[in-house]
Amino acid sequence: MVEPREIHINCMATDIANSQTVQGQPIVIGEPRWVRVALISVTLLFLGIFLFLPLIVVFTEAFKKGVEVYFQSIREPDAVSAIQLTLIAAGIAVPLNLIFGVAAAWAIAKFQFPGKSFLITLIDLPFSVSPVISGLVYVLLFGLQGWLGPWLGEHDIKIIFAVPGIVLATIFVTFPFVARELIPLMQSQGSEEEEAARVLGAGGWQTFWRVTLPNIKWGLLYGVILCNARAMGEFGAVSVVSGHIRGMTNTLPLHAEILYNEYNSAAAFAVASLLTILTLVTIALKAAIDWKSQVEAREVRAIREQALAEA
Amino acid sequence: MNRPFRSHSILPGFGLTMGFTVFYLSLIVLIPLGATFLKTFSAGWGHFWETVTGARALASYRLSIGASLIAASVNSVLGLLAAWVLVRYEFPGKRIVDALVDLPFALPTAVAGITLTAMFAGNGWVGSLLEPLGIKVAFTWLGVVVALTFIGLPFVVRTVQPVLQELDPEIEEAAATLGAGRWQSLKRVVFPELFPALLTGFALAFARAVGEYGSVIFISGNMPMKTEITPLLIVTKLSQYDYAGATALAVATLMMSFVLLFLINLLQWSSRARYT
Amino acid sequence: MSIEIHNISKTFGDFAALKDVSFKVETGELVALLGPSGSGKTSLLRIIAGIEVPDVNDGAILIHDEDTTSISFRDRRVGFVFQHYALFRHMTIFENVAFGLRVRPRRLRPSERVIKERVNELLKLVQLDWLGDRLPSQLSGGQRQRIALARALAVEPNVLLLDEPFGSLDAKVRKELRQWLRRFHDDLKITSVFVTHDQEEALEVADRVVLMNEGRVEQVGTPEEVYHHPANAFVYNFLGNVNLFHSRVEEGKVYLGELPIELPAESAPDAKSALVFVRPHLLEIEHQRNGGDNFHAKVTHINAAGPLVKVDLMTDWGAPVHVELSHGRYSSLGLKREDEVFVRPKERRVFVKAETGDESRSQSTHSGPRA
């Protein structure tokens, strides 16, 4: 009757045996203490240099010339328009990619059709392509010497070296994020609940809103957060299509680059610090979602075990 | 018999979602990529070959691929260690460290670039410690390796971590009861289980490093033939309006990436097939 | 190699898995640790193996009269077979079985040739010598279990420990392997302890059974002893089928409905509530009252598909009763559903557990057969 408890005990037992001293009990199967301390130290040294130190450096460099200069650099008109452009690019790319991600995941996870793995590989493409190439393909298509170049020139439509190009490049490098989160998630959840809803008479949209969406909410949020982080921080692809026109086609990362190349280090790092804050928020949200979804999974498991126990 | 494209399902929306997906992908990916390939070969095979095998190009491959290999290897060793420590041991602040592992993945590459340069330059926090020892990092190929190590760090750790977490403690207990010492257990029983994930992580880190741009161009110094990475060479050609040359290099790089992607998938598929 | 367990306790945080457990396993015996989930039997087995350490107190485990807490794994010579086999999945069957021999320190390690001989010997012993080159994933559950056994035996252990060895297998395979293990043990005669929650398995296979509940040893004895002379209500209830009646004790009698049953005077203080246990095959069904030594019930279900006929009845006071009859008796009664009959406890072997106040005291009382 009390099966779950036995399992729980075994897990605890092996956890304790494998991980740490608990209440002064020695580790039975594990590395001796000095080995553990040494390994932890080496790891912390390595991670300290590569993870913690950069964070410290960004902010110390940003405030090197004092707080006044810091805020000046951020309030300066070119910086402000860079912020605006970054927000526009992300503001368009993320929702579009969200819709794409949901649509692609729905098609792939709930249906069977040939060529599925090819489609998935295609979706993974931007991850295996250098950002520079991602930008390059748009220059080739829309640039002056590109395919559509002459036609665009005639109609005085500027895509490359203008905002639309930047948005397009941003979309290209970030579209997989939501899809990649949702596809395995929805595949593992199967179609049973949706089919049950349909049999009970729910329409297509209703099924999606009421049944699918709640199940994928954490994965969706996760994908959106990562998508946004990349969209706002993208450098290589945007650099190629932007033309670096100050005050017009510079996103925040590009603006930081220009400042840095002009030896205006403090200003460059001030801009960089904004992006770093965004990154830290992203990481915090990601960790929070991880934790939340783990808690939920544990609750579901406990309920299931309880039900089995009472059966 | 005419089989339907998809097997029957009572769920709606296939047409809508599939249609939108294909449309989006075509617009954003297929057409631009297609244009790239066409453009390359419109300039003729000769020009393509010349650009792709030119001295400057070859030097850039050596640097990009060589530095990426070294960086991915360093990440494999230290990343495995980090994953082990994060999964198996407890220490204060572990959760923060664990969360921060995602930093290189989430941080804009330009920020990483200028920060690493500031850190490893002669007057930087780390650079000032290494320079007296005769080790110059910034503006050398070593700087490129450092930047690529940074960028690839999460890949190995995050690939190995879940495998390590799911590892059945019983096999280590079994090895111990059979008389194996701790190191023997780790070497013969635990490591083979982690190896496929490690390999995947290595490949992912390598693939990312080869195409990396933003984090590298600040610390590398960008001297042609010496510290010029392939993506930078592409950008340089573009800025000189040598579209054909840039495209040629891009296609060569793409070919390499596709091969890599294929190999990664093959690896993952074969390790899954072997053990289940 | 005997195993002596002295005063072993084990707590995990707030939870006491083992409370002062002591017993002895004689050399060459096959002992079953039997109990429900959570009884502590697996924890005890793991402590004997040395995979876990007991609470620090005066307790000890002695294998062949030596205290094991100071002995390393290698020198302990304990073979352990895990519930889910724990085979090394990237190694072949041969390499799995050879593992214990190959990891020995150089001076103790036999040559490759000797290892090969020994492994093949063992594979033949478990009747799987044709599987040497396969991977564990290519074997069935039963085969994996036997390989796990061979692997544990390769290092010539003094003591063999098995954790729910047949738990993950389906019923038919389980039965076959059970008998196989018994014969195997008879040939090898290694002191063995196995953990199970399946009482049929324990009673069928083991030389002696240790019944455990909530971290304590309830009874130790041969299968016959524990089944026919259970020490307390838990053992009686755990082994075999049993009917459970809620009752009361009044003036030295316990009541099944209106039927009073005499209890030996010295052991029966009055109790407001008591539990009466009666085995299904110790209840007789009759059509007539015949002297009033029985209680009235109605037949609700009959299952005649099996070696015995199983009859379910409902008493007047709403208690379900389960009776097992021989086919002969059943046909002579001509029972049908809805029949109104009388149920008489044969031999009066009744087990009473009285709950007085907060304590539940078990009284091992039974009344003998009627003259």
Side-chain angles (χ1 to χ4, degrees), chain C residues 354-367:
Chain C
E355 282 155 2
T356 28
D358 306 304
E359 256 180 33
S360 54
R361 263 184 302 129
S362 294
Q363 298 180 12
S364 48
T365 57
H366 64 269
S367 9

Side-chain angles (χ1 to χ4, degrees), chain C residues 188-240:
Chain C
L188 285 186
K189 283 268 174 267
I190 300 184
T191 313
S192 309
V193 180
F194 75 98
V195 158
T196 181
H197 60 271
D198 182 345
Q199 41 112 344
E200 201 188 301
E201 191 168 287
L203 296 178
E204 222 184 89
V205 177
D207 292 325
R208 277 195 306 154
V209 179
V210 175
L211 278 132
M212 292 184 68
N213 184 36
E214 292 187 353
R216 271 188 257 272
V217 173
E218 300 281 355
Q219 188 175 3
V220 180
T222 64
E224 291 77 28
E225 280 169 18
V226 296
Y227 185 82
H228 292 292
H229 305 281
N232 56 34
F234 165 78
V235 178
Y236 193 87
N237 193 14
F238 192 79
L239 299 175

Side-chain angles (χ1 to χ4, degrees), chain B residues 200-256:
Chain B
T200 305
F202 175 86
L204 288 172
F206 178 71
R208 174 72 192 256
V210 166
E212 184 55 32
Y213 180 72
S215 16
V216 178
I217 57 168
F218 297 96
I219 199 173
S220 66
N222 304 328
M223 291 177 282
M225 302 294 287
K226 289 227 209 98
T227 57
E228 186 181 47
I229 52 171
T230 311
L232 179 60
L233 187 52
I234 296 177
V235 172
T236 308
K237 287 202 180 286
L238 256 183
S239 63
Q240 293 164 348
Y241 295 101
D242 180 7
Y243 280 24
T247 319
L249 282 173
V251 167
T253 317
L254 275 174
M255 296 274 114
M256 280 193 277

Side-chain angles (χ1 to χ4, degrees), chain A residues 267-306:
Chain A
F269 276 100
V271 172
S273 72
L274 287 180
L275 289 167
T276 309
I277 293 173
L278 169 70
T279 305
L280 290 173
V281 169
T282 303
I283 291 179
L285 282 174
K286 181 179 182 285
I289 292 178
D290 269 336
W291 180 79
K292 197 88 214 300
S293 62
Q294 264 177 29
V295 166
E296 259 187 31
R298 223 176 295 151
E299 284 172 6
V300 169
R301 238 188 322 215
I303 293 174
R304 201 173 295 147
E305 283 172 5
Q306 177 81 325

Side-chain angles (χ1 to χ4, degrees), chain C residues 34-239:
Chain C
L34 175 65
S37 300
S39 53
K41 51 194 198 297
T42 299
S43 301
L44 182 60
L45 197 75
R46 289 166 65 88
I47 288 176
I48 299 175
I51 301 175
E52 280 179 47
V53 286
D55 293 346
V56 179
N57 52 19
D58 296 319
I61 307 245
L62 296 153
I63 297 186
H64 203 49
D65 299 323
E66 265 182 74
D67 192 332
T68 57
T69 38
S70 47
I71 307 181
S72 74
F73 269 121
R74 252 192 211 129
D75 304 324
R76 204 181 284 237
R77 306 283 288 275
V78 168
F80 199 100
V81 179
F82 291 82
Q83 182 173 2
H84 300 290
Y85 329 126
L87 294 178
F88 306 131
R89 55 186 190 154
H90 56 278
M91 295 186 197
T92 63
I93 296 303
F94 182 92
E95 288 165 349
N96 261 282
V97 178
F99 184 84
L101 296 168
R102 289 208 176 127
V103 295
R104 282 208 183 138
R106 205 141 294 169
R107 47 191 176 81
L108 291 175
R109 199 183 306 168
S111 72
E112 242 339 277
R113 192 179 48 84
V114 172
I115 291 181
K116 197 158 175 225
E117 265 174 44
R118 180 131 184 80
V119 171
N120 284 325
E121 215 180 279
L122 281 162
L123 288 178
K124 226 179 292 188
L125 194 62
V126 297
Q127 295 156 319
L128 291 174
D129 44 316
W130 43 283
L131 286 178
D133 290 322
R134 305 266 177 96
L135 289 174
S137 55
Q138 297 166 299
L139 268 57
S140 72
Q143 289 170 333
R144 284 185 217 171
Q145 191 55 283
R146 285 185 275 162
I147 294 299
L149 188 57
R151 184 178 68 174
L153 290 171
V155 290
E156 292 172 316
N158 297 328
V159 158
L160 190 60
L161 304 174
L162 305 103
D163 185 4
E164 308 250 13
F166 311 124
S168 331
L169 304 168
D170 41 86
K172 187 159 187 295
V173 181
R174 205 184 297 170
K175 275 202 155 68
E176 287 170 4
L177 274 180
R178 208 188 280 174
Q179 291 160 0
W180 180 86
L181 181 68
R182 179 72 241 182
R183 285 196 306 270
F184 193 79
H185 179 263
D186 288 339
D187 289 336
L188 285 186
K189 283 268 174 267
I190 300 184
T191 313
S192 309
V193 180
F194 75 98
V195 158
T196 181
H197 60 271
D198 182 345
Q199 41 112 344
E200 201 188 301
E201 191 168 287
L203 296 178
E204 222 184 89
V205 177
D207 292 325
R208 277 195 306 154
V209 179
V210 175
L211 278 132
M212 292 184 68
N213 184 36
E214 292 187 353
R216 271 188 257 272
V217 173
E218 300 281 355
Q219 188 175 3
V220 180
T222 64
E224 291 77 28
E225 280 169 18
V226 296
Y227 185 82
H228 292 292
H229 305 281
N232 56 34
F234 165 78
V235 178
Y236 193 87
N237 193 14
F238 192 79
L239 299 175

